[in-house]
Amino acid sequence: MKYDEFRGWLRARGGKPNSVNTRSTAIRKIETEMAALGSSYTDLDAAYDNDQFAQLRQALDDMRLDLRNGGTRYRVLFPNSNDPINRIANSRAWLGQYGQFRGASNRPEHLGLLADERYWFVGGSFGGTDDQVPRFLADGIWEIRTPNAHDAAAVRSMKIGDRIAIKAAFVQRHNLPFDNRDRRVSVMRVKARGVVTANPGDGERVSVSWDEEFEPKDWYFYTYRPTVWELHPGNELADRLIAFAFFDEPQDVAWFRNHKSWSDLFGDSASPTAQRFWIEKTIVAGRPDREAGENSIGRALWSPQRSKDGKNIYSNMLEVQPGDAVFHLTDNEGLSAISVAATAADSDFTTLEESEWGKQPGFRIELTSYEILEPKLPRAAFLDTEPFSTELRELAESGAKGLFYNNRLGLNQGAYLTEATPTLLTILNRAYQAFAGRSLPHLVMDAPQEAEEVIAPYTLEDALEVLFLEAPQAQDILRLWAAKKNIILQGPPGVGKSFAAQKLAFALMGAEDRSRFGLVQFHQSYSYEDFVEGYRPTATGFDLRAGKFVEFCRRAEADPKQIYVFVIDEINRGNLSKILGELMLLIEHDKRDPKWAMPLSSGKVPFYVPANVHILGLMNTADRSLAVVDYALRRRFAFVDIEPNLNAPKFRQLLSGYGLKEDLIGTLISRVGMLNKEIVGDVANLGPGFAIGHSFFCSGPMSEEEDTAWYERVMKTEILPLLREYWFDAPSKVSNWESHLLSPM
């Protein structure tokens, strides 16, 4: 082997002296024992040139399997080791590194990753704040507190020899080692790594041999926030993360920036940040610094970094980008001028000593293109003049955040710099047109705002890890949803419609961002006032309040480059025409534009459904009490059937992860499959919309509950009551199925 060259290569990649010595010595040990390992080659370089270490990797994999079964084949390489499972895993990883060295490539395929291997990324804290990593490392364990059913099944499935890493996911905006275009980036700090050495099967903990030489490091873009993340090689994103975390492969950040998932925001050809509009509310009269000089009105925006009571009320300064327009509302009198930001905020600025803040850390943004409004727009022309005053009041009460005024039409104290959303700009522009006979300068009415970067990226591959859908079906759903804007998932009870809705929503959004995810459930008493808007009682009378959907749309309107998803559970359980009102028109995919805006029935603010809002309805096809959805609504939604999928491999894997015996799993699938065949064939009374879904069986047995007892409990308390409802006029049929479903195994 090229021993010295390999050591130099490791050092050049940042390897510490102990790490370089350990790895190079381990690789040389493999070379000296190649014959004992069954290799037909005499040295590592010949093995690489002929089969890229295929024989040696297979030998190490066989050694690991033998160890799992209690064998001692590992003594060929590690005759005196007390931790052979870790030594085997590390040796395989370091052999892969020698392959990278020989291949002169940073690509992970040189590592020889196998598709059936599993790599785990797990959380290291309880409740998100209670850091357990030091204890885990000291005790040689990893554990999860009060896991849900999915996480418990995943922990039970961890096998001896699986690689495991502790991670912490967060977002970061500043001090990044690459140009993030001043946007938030998802980061995952890999805090520790090791190898699973034992699994008691309780779904809560495993024993781990932790790598004592490992030093924490940060990974960007492709991250996951939930506690347990299982990765398999074969997906290029996963391969690169595995190579980074377990094989010390540097992350190719440029590749990730230009990946289709992140290129729009961070790629080399990313579009410039779209212009945003701001309102500076400032006092000029009597303030020399604002009347003249480099910090005067129109020359700069400046503020302290914190208020006098320590609150972070000036953070909007960090959002301003060059090219953004700034309206100046001066002396509490009205809009007097407009400027354009020339720079982003300078955080090294010190506030002026002669100001009321004195010398303290501040923000400063240089301005250009200062233009005085002739005439100025006095506050009375929009806050006290109809219809603008009513529209502004309704906007404040409809869920819009960060306004410079309140719902009493007074100016908000301390709101130095606030953003003007498209709706607010529309109202102010119409007020200026009414007052001055022309539009406000610099105003571009369709100006989108800067998008917030994803909190926790989520891909279709992530969704398919937990859904019982085939990849083509899931891809078709997302394509249809993106085009139509509105879809309905319909199916019988227990097919996981609600679960699928959430995961597909995250996949469509590209992130597990619950701030962009809305959910309501319709029922017979649900009304227009709940969903759209209506008057609500207050201490002094009644106030107009926005409904849940209008509030959601206001948030989406202010964030146009991000996808927002609104889910309506039991959509056919409500009186749809009554609940939706004007939305029957506005939700159509080709009406998602401000030019289609219309006043809602009880107010005057023009309202439209933004193009970035995607609606997902859920419909139970087996509920006889629900009315048929009318044709007007059907034309506005695309309908997707979700069917039971008890034959999905993941369903069998899930049940196996709960500890169910294979013969019980087979019996369950066979019996319920036969039952569904009869339900589907009973077209006179039932049909496909009444089949039994797999979700009835996804929760698994309770603690200390035998698998057969769990099976009988689900059948007696969930399936048979449903059958009695289905065949209420055929009790003998129910009795026959009861005997069959509960017959001895």
Side-chain angles (χ1 to χ4, degrees):
M1 65 174 288
K2 296 178 171 60
Y3 181 78
D4 292 331
E5 294 92 329
F6 180 54
R7 289 173 61 86
W9 182 80
L10 290 173
R11 285 193 294 267
R13 291 159 58 90
K16 302 295 189 295
N18 286 343
S19 175
V20 171
N21 290 336
T22 299
R23 297 175 189 215
S24 56
T25 300
I27 295 304
R28 187 155 60 179
K29 175 66 173 176
I30 292 175
E31 185 174 62
T32 61
E33 300 297 338
M34 287 177 65
L37 291 171
S39 175
S40 58
Y41 308 110
T42 58
D43 63 77
L44 283 176
D45 293 313
Y48 179 82
D49 291 336
N50 284 276
D51 68 4
Q52 284 71 55
F53 299 146
Q55 285 185 348
L56 290 174
R57 288 193 179 106
Q58 186 61 52
L60 292 172
D61 292 338
D62 292 343
M63 185 182 294
R64 178 174 58 183
L65 180 61
D66 176 72
L67 179 59
R68 286 175 177 169
N69 294 327
T72 59
R73 195 181 300 176
Y74 68 88
R75 297 194 185 281
V76 170
L77 282 179
F78 320 112
N80 302 311
S81 176
N82 295 321
D83 188 15
I85 196 69
N86 196 17
R87 297 289 299 275
I88 294 171
N90 286 336
S91 294
R92 195 183 189 287
W94 299 335
L95 184 67
Q97 282 197 301
Y98 193 81
Q100 288 179 289
F101 157 69
R102 280 298 320 276
S105 170
N106 289 331
R107 297 296 302 276
E109 56 261 29
H110 289 278
L111 297 173
L113 303 177
L114 300 178
D116 61 348
E117 291 180 318
R118 294 187 300 178
Y119 296 81
W120 301 93
F121 292 83
V122 296
S125 62
F126 292 159
T129 58
D130 189 7
D131 187 12
Q132 301 291 310
V133 175
R135 180 174 68 85
F136 292 163
L137 299 182
D139 295 346
I141 64 167
W142 174 82
E143 62 182 6
I144 181 174
R145 186 170 63 184
T146 60
N148 58 38
H150 180 267
D151 286 345
V155 175
R156 277 193 289 267
S157 71
M158 293 180 179
K159 296 185 181 300
I160 295 173
D162 285 356
R163 306 300 296 269
I164 186 171
I166 298 177
K167 50 87 175 176
F170 53 97
V171 293
Q172 185 174 337
R173 183 168 187 165
H174 303 292
N175 302 317
L176 289 159
F178 55 92
D179 181 11
N180 59 312
R181 284 139 170 84
D182 201 38
R183 293 183 168 108
R184 291 181 176 88
V185 176
S186 293
V187 185
M188 190 167 72
R189 181 159 296 155
V190 183
K191 305 176 76 172
R193 72 181 178 197
V195 180
V196 176
T197 57
N199 187 340
D202 59 7
E204 295 183 359
R205 64 187 55 80
V206 291
S207 297
V208 180
S209 176
W210 296 109
D211 184 350
E212 297 179 356
E213 295 181 358
F214 180 78
E215 297 182 1
K217 53 186 180 179
D218 288 347
W219 167 267
Y220 305 99
F221 298 108
Y222 182 60
T223 68
Y224 192 65
R225 192 172 292 270
T227 304
V228 181
W229 189 15
E230 177 184 1
L231 281 184
H232 295 262
N235 172 289
E236 188 163 17
L237 294 171
D239 289 352
R240 289 174 179 266
L241 174 53
I242 291 168
F244 172 85
F246 297 101
F247 296 81
D248 295 319
E249 174 65 30
Q251 183 181 12
D252 186 350
V253 174
W255 185 90
F256 278 85
R257 286 194 301 102
N258 289 287
H259 187 272
K260 62 182 181 180
S261 299
W262 301 280
S263 60
D264 286 345
L265 294 176
F266 303 98
D268 293 335
S269 59
S271 301
T273 300
Q275 186 182 38
R276 299 167 74 178
F277 292 83
W278 305 89
I279 295 178
E280 180 200 29
K281 185 171 67 65
T282 184
I283 300 296
V284 176
R287 288 184 54 185
D289 62 292
R290 301 300 279 156
E291 292 177 331
E294 63 180 9
N295 295 308
S296 61
I297 186 76
R299 295 280 302 275
L301 303 176
W302 70 270
S303 73
Q305 294 187 10
R306 297 275 179 173
S307 63
K308 293 179 179 179
D309 58 0
K311 293 183 178 179
N312 187 26
I313 65 173
Y314 297 101
S315 60
N316 275 353
M317 293 283 285
L318 296 172
E319 300 290 325
V320 178
Q321 296 296 308
D324 287 359
V326 181
F327 291 100
H328 303 285
L329 196 162
T330 55
D331 298 322
N332 295 330
E333 294 176 352
L335 299 181
S336 62
I338 186 171
S339 301
V340 176
T343 66
D346 177 7
S347 300
D348 296 326
F349 176 70
T350 301
T351 56
L352 306 182
E353 185 173 9
E354 63 272 19
S355 70
E356 61 178 294
W357 295 281
K359 296 179 71 66
Q360 61 175 285
F363 301 121
R364 184 180 185 276
I365 298 169
E366 289 190 15
L367 300 176
T368 186
S369 304
Y370 179 64
E371 179 180 351
I372 296 176
L373 293 182
E374 293 291 352
K376 299 177 182 179
L377 179 64
R379 59 184 287 181
F382 52 90
L383 291 177
D384 299 333
T385 302
E386 294 290 355
F388 316 115
S389 57
T390 296
E391 293 176 3
L392 291 171
R393 181 186 295 108
E394 291 177 1
L395 181 62
E397 293 172 342
S398 70
K401 304 297 182 183
L403 299 172
F404 66 89
Y405 67 94
N406 53 47
N407 58 11
R408 298 182 301 277
L409 300 182
L411 299 179
N412 281 330
Q413 180 68 27
Y416 170 62
L417 187 70
T418 58
E419 187 163 12
T421 65
T423 297
L424 177 57
L425 287 172
T426 298
I427 298 172
L428 293 177
N429 192 52
R430 287 192 291 106
Y432 194 66
Q433 288 172 334
F435 182 79
R438 62 176 183 271
S439 295
L440 290 166
H442 292 270
L443 195 58
V444 180
M445 293 312 300
D446 61 351
Q449 299 176 347
E450 180 190 37
E452 285 287 313
E453 166 58 345
V454 294
I455 294 176
Y458 196 92
T459 66
L460 179 59
E461 289 76 15
D462 295 322
L464 291 173
E465 284 289 322
V466 293
L467 294 178
F468 298 161
L469 296 176
E470 298 299 327
Q473 181 186 10
Q475 291 167 352
D476 288 345
I477 291 174
L478 293 186
R479 280 194 290 265
L480 178 63
W481 199 1
K484 187 73 173 178
K485 303 292 186 183
N486 315 310
I487 66 171
I488 286 179
L489 299 184
Q490 61 178 1
V495 292
K497 295 184 292 295
S498 299
F499 184 77
Q502 186 182 80
K503 300 307 178 184
L504 290 172
F506 293 153
L508 184 71
M509 293 189 295
E512 192 168 358
D513 187 352
R514 296 182 184 276
S515 69
R516 295 189 275 131
F517 179 83
L519 173 66
V520 298
Q521 186 179 75
F522 281 1
H523 50 77
Q524 292 177 348
S525 298
Y526 209 81
S527 68
Y528 177 91
E529 289 75 16
D530 297 316
F531 196 65
V532 184
E533 70 172 8
Y535 285 91
R536 298 294 185 193
T538 66
T540 58
F542 289 85
D543 281 348
L544 186 64
R545 293 283 187 263
K548 292 182 181 296
F549 184 70
V550 170
E551 285 185 347
F552 187 82
C553 288
R554 295 295 191 202
R555 297 203 310 269
E557 178 193 33
D559 192 12
K561 294 186 74 174
Q562 296 279 39
I563 292 175
Y564 281 64
V565 172
F566 196 88
V567 175
I568 305 172
D569 193 21
E570 304 286 4
I571 189 171
N572 56 332
R573 192 175 287 276
N575 185 332
L576 297 177
S577 297
K578 176 183 176 184
I579 293 172
L580 297 180
E582 302 92 339
L583 298 184
M584 290 288 281
L585 171 70
L586 298 179
I587 64 173
E588 293 188 50
H589 71 279
D590 58 350
K591 306 295 190 300
R592 304 294 194 86
D593 191 277
K595 68 183 181 183
W596 286 96
M598 66 170 65
L600 300 173
S601 62
S602 54
K604 298 180 180 178
V605 176
F607 174 78
Y608 72 101
V609 179
N612 59 331
V613 172
H614 293 67
I615 302 172
L616 175 60
L618 305 178
M619 184 182 297
N620 185 349
T621 55
D623 195 326
R624 303 175 195 268
S625 66
L626 302 183
V628 176
V629 176
D630 63 40
Y631 291 108
L633 189 70
R634 285 190 176 275
R635 185 174 65 81
R636 290 160 171 82
F637 283 82
F639 286 72
V640 177
D641 290 318
I642 302 294
E643 300 175 348
N645 201 353
L646 284 80
N647 292 315
K650 289 178 184 174
F651 179 65
R652 185 180 288 272
Q653 293 169 8
L654 177 67
L655 297 183
S656 180
Y658 287 138
L660 272 64
K661 299 182 182 66
E662 286 299 320
D663 57 347
L664 175 62
I665 296 174
T667 299
L668 185 156
I669 293 174
S670 174
R671 290 180 180 179
V672 178
M674 293 172 60
L675 173 60
N676 277 341
K677 186 176 181 180
E678 179 159 350
I679 290 173
V680 171
D682 187 2
V683 293
N685 299 298
L686 302 174
F690 292 80
I692 304 299
H694 47 265
S695 296
F696 286 105
F697 309 98
C698 286
S699 58
M702 296 184 295
S703 178
E704 300 181 0
E705 184 180 32
E706 294 292 335
D707 54 2
T708 54
W710 164 79
Y711 171 85
E712 291 180 1
R713 173 172 59 83
V714 175
M715 291 299 175
K716 290 178 179 179
T717 62
E718 299 188 53
I719 304 303
L720 288 172
L722 191 61
L723 297 184
R724 294 187 186 101
E725 180 181 337
Y726 283 179
W727 287 310
F728 65 92
D729 56 350
S732 61
K733 182 178 291 189
V734 177
S735 179
N736 290 337
W737 273 108
E738 181 175 4
S739 298
H740 180 64
L741 293 173
L742 297 178
S743 62
M745 302 292 176

